[in-house]
Amino acid sequence: MTAPLLTEIDHVAIAVQDLDSAIAYYGETFGATVAHRERIDSDGVEEALLKVADSYIQLLTPTDEDSPVAKYLEKKGEGIHHVGYRVDDCAAALQSVKDHGGQVIDVVPRRGSRGTTVAFVHPRGAFGTLIELVEE
Ligand code: CO
């Protein structure tokens, strides 16, 4: 193994029913402020990123009842949805997942929010955690 492929925690994503209530909770309780808010229609979600040092809390709520996040909320309720790991090279990190027999959701990297390049790794084969690889 050469240099580590994961360079930092980019974000912890939390699925919530009501984005504004969750933003208010983090703001009032912890003084966290929204650094970025974006509706991503291709994923059927709206997100708010709250900055914590160099990482984010990503609050996610569905905008489409057929989206994966809507299904997740229906099945599991609110809570941690995925962990985003920052990488220098999303394609290289994704290739390493494939090379090690991992199951990917995105076969090739795609566009994420904030103009990032991302790819998701299936929790099956990743010890039960949905992983997002994030290249800024
Ligand atoms: Co994410």
Side-chain angles (χ1 to χ4, degrees):
M1 198 82 201
T2 49
L5 294 171
L6 310 180
T7 60
E8 225 161 339
I9 305 291
D10 186 81
H11 61 273
V12 175
I14 301 167
V16 302
Q17 299 282 6
D18 181 335
L19 195 58
D20 289 312
S21 297
I23 290 168
Y25 169 79
Y26 276 96
E28 287 158 18
T29 309
F30 300 114
T33 54
V34 175
H36 182 82
R37 190 165 172 161
E38 185 172 339
R39 194 185 152 112
I40 304 130
D41 285 322
S42 52
D43 290 338
V45 297
E46 184 173 3
E47 70 161 32
L49 293 174
L50 313 182
K51 207 160 167 43
V52 179
D54 288 329
S55 303
Y56 297 99
I57 299 163
Q58 180 187 54
L59 302 172
L60 273 181
T61 201
T63 54
D64 171 350
E65 61 183 25
D66 294 324
S67 66
V69 173
K71 297 212 169 89
Y72 182 91
L73 281 171
E74 217 169 273
K75 240 172 93 180
K76 303 198 168 170
E78 295 179 305
I80 293 185
H81 182 262
H82 66 271
V83 178
Y85 296 123
R86 211 167 284 157
V87 296
D88 288 330
D89 183 339
C90 189
L94 188 63
Q95 189 57 50
S96 185
V97 172
K98 293 177 191 167
D99 290 348
H100 291 84
Q103 196 175 322
V104 298
I105 292 173
D106 295 303
V107 178
V108 292
R110 62 186 178 87
R111 194 197 163 279
S113 69
R114 289 181 293 140
T116 54
T117 300
V118 304
F120 279 91
V121 176
H122 203 284
R124 202 179 305 130
F127 295 86
T129 305
L130 175 60
I131 292 173
E132 181 179 11
L133 304 166
V134 185
E135 178 185 334
E136 289 198 300

